[in-house]
Amino acid sequence: MEGEQSVDLIRVQLRKQRALAGMNQEEFGKRTNYSASTVSAVETGTRPVDLPYARRADEILETGGLFESLLRTAQQDAQPAWFMPWLKAERAAKQLRYFNPTLIPGLFQTENYARTVLRFDDTCPEQEIEQQVAARMERQEILRRERPPQIFAVIDEAALRRANAIMAEQLAHLVREAELPHVHIHIIPARAGLHVGLDGPLLLAMLPDGTWIGHLDSQLGGESADTDEKVIKLLGRWEGVRTVALPEDLSLDLIKEVESQHGPQ
């Protein structure tokens, strides 16, 4: 609720600052390279405020990064408390490790895939889902920072083969991300059979001082794993899933093969 109120405040301020600058929605759209209908949708709440829009508004309205700052704060407020320790670790990490036996990790999800996953909670209002999608996309900025973390991801082949109209787009995106020099994606082939990772997903972050923090997702949310005992256990589980995964080149070949089977985008 707090995050939703913050986003509403951003919309009010966007309308106010645009009006103070003497621009109607059409004029503002031309200056920002958005259509008048998009400007209207953002200001009325039928389209989420995302970082590109906030940054362009800051530039045109000369607000010194105000809207980007407000949006980042709103996105943080919208995150559940149990996820905040992981978000902080993810932003600071020098190395990240992700494993998921059922889904594409959030750091590599497209908007359409993320939206579909977040709609698993059919009681969540659409506006809140769109805020969560925008926040998930914002997390992905670490992939293209000037000094990005080294990222390893292990994904079960089953996650690639979910029959859905959005999967061709998602897999094409995964291929592009896998080609980044600091991103290393490994697939556990179906022929591996039962393996230790089937117990559930795990996330690990190595911080600048060399310490590790882990995170575990569940149906009820998630929890941090920051004690030595828990981290050592998760590192052991990571080695277990990494051992049964394919090398990078064969993993990329498998992703492309499955992508071709999902048909045209």
Side-chain angles (χ1 to χ4, degrees):
M1 181 62 70
E2 185 178 351
E4 184 176 337
Q5 291 173 342
S6 298
V7 172
D8 287 340
L9 175 62
I10 294 172
R11 293 194 184 99
V12 170
Q13 290 300 316
L14 279 167
R15 288 194 298 269
K16 180 179 179 180
Q17 293 299 320
R18 172 182 58 75
L20 288 173
M23 287 182 275
N24 59 29
Q25 290 179 340
E26 184 174 358
E27 291 169 333
F28 183 69
K30 288 179 180 178
R31 295 283 302 277
T32 56
N33 298 322
Y34 287 95
S35 66
S37 61
T38 297
V39 175
S40 175
V42 167
E43 294 184 356
T44 58
T46 57
R47 181 189 187 279
V49 185
D50 57 22
L51 280 174
Y53 190 97
R55 287 168 176 159
R56 191 65 179 142
D58 279 327
E59 182 180 345
I60 298 304
L61 298 172
E62 299 180 352
T63 47
L66 172 66
F67 290 116
E68 179 177 352
S69 177
L70 288 174
L71 182 59
R72 289 186 182 277
T73 299
Q75 290 175 343
Q76 181 171 310
D77 290 343
Q79 296 290 346
W82 54 261
F83 198 50
M84 294 307 298
W86 173 254
L87 284 180
K88 183 178 179 181
E90 188 177 65
R91 293 185 188 116
K94 293 186 66 177
Q95 186 185 108
L96 292 164
R97 299 180 180 182
Y98 300 88
F99 167 71
N100 201 307
T102 56
L103 295 170
I104 305 300
L107 208 61
F108 303 113
Q109 292 178 5
T110 64
E111 284 193 27
N112 285 329
Y113 187 97
R115 189 173 289 111
T116 300
V117 170
L118 291 167
R119 282 179 178 153
F120 291 167
D121 180 0
D122 57 10
T123 66
C124 190
E126 190 66 20
Q127 183 177 12
E128 186 175 332
I129 287 174
E130 291 303 321
Q131 290 173 9
Q132 293 178 26
V133 170
R136 187 161 296 185
M137 296 302 102
E138 189 273 335
R139 279 176 59 199
Q140 297 177 4
E141 288 199 334
I142 66 171
L143 291 168
R144 288 167 176 78
R145 288 193 316 216
E146 184 178 353
R147 291 180 176 272
Q150 187 180 41
I151 300 171
F152 294 88
V154 175
I155 307 169
D156 198 282
E157 182 179 346
L160 307 181
R161 294 190 179 277
R162 302 294 178 193
N164 192 291
I166 62 172
M167 283 307 297
E169 174 194 44
Q170 174 60 67
L171 293 175
H173 178 71
L174 190 62
V175 168
R176 290 191 294 271
E177 301 299 81
E179 291 172 345
L180 295 173
H182 55 283
V183 172
H184 310 276
I185 295 178
H186 300 268
I187 306 299
I188 297 178
R191 65 175 182 271
L194 296 176
H195 58 82
V196 67
L198 294 177
D199 276 347
L202 64 90
L203 300 84
L204 286 157
M206 185 180 73
L207 303 179
D209 64 0
T211 60
W212 288 89
I213 183 170
H215 181 83
L216 294 169
D217 288 325
S218 73
Q219 291 282 352
L220 298 178
E223 63 172 314
S224 293
D226 52 7
T227 65
D228 288 346
E229 181 181 1
K230 290 180 178 179
V231 167
I232 289 172
K233 187 169 185 177
L234 286 185
L235 286 169
R237 291 295 178 95
W238 167 264
E239 291 302 322
V241 298
R242 177 65 189 86
T243 299
V244 295
L246 296 171
E248 279 186 83
D249 57 344
L250 296 181
S251 295
L252 187 57
D253 288 344
L254 180 54
I255 297 170
K256 291 178 178 178
E257 175 190 336
V258 178
E259 178 196 356
S260 69
Q261 296 169 4
H262 279 287
Q265 298 180 41

